[in-house]
Amino acid sequence: MITHVFINLFSNAFKYSPPDKPVEIQGRIIDDQLEVLVVDRGVGVPPEDLGRVFDKFYRVTELGSAHGLGLGLAICKAFIEAHHGRITLENNPMGGTIVRFVIPA
């Protein structure tokens, strides 16, 4: 399931980022928890949509021509929660988004 989470997060990061901008992954152990960040430098998410990005079938329409059903992040959330973790998405101050998930190590 975690492999599928990575596939979805990387797919989104590359889909919504310009080809010349980096996509980063960061990981660390904090108090027996694995924290992973997928950081992109894409267009970001409008603030009013941040609370809904993990809802099934919800797509941010302002992000351009990328196609999908709006299930990728909902699946990520379900898989992370199945591992007793949590997942969040925030706008990156440098542009783009930061998706952070934490699961027990």
Side-chain angles (χ1 to χ4, degrees), residues 4-75:
H4 198 79
V5 169
F6 279 113
I7 290 169
N8 281 350
L9 295 181
F10 291 148
S11 175
N12 279 353
F14 288 113
K15 186 186 307 182
Y16 294 110
S17 295
D20 62 333
K21 299 291 183 181
V23 172
E24 301 173 30
I25 182 169
Q26 302 172 19
R28 61 185 177 164
I29 300 291
I30 304 172
D31 299 325
D32 296 326
Q33 301 275 318
L34 171 64
E35 179 186 63
V36 175
L37 282 72
V38 177
V39 181
D40 70 63
R41 303 286 193 277
V43 296
V45 175
E48 62 271 14
D49 291 313
L50 285 173
R52 299 199 57 206
V53 294
F54 293 102
D55 293 351
K56 289 180 186 175
F57 304 110
Y58 187 77
R59 295 201 58 231
V60 178
T61 56
E62 295 180 21
L63 291 184
S65 62
H67 300 288
L69 297 175
L71 289 173
L73 289 177
I75 290 168

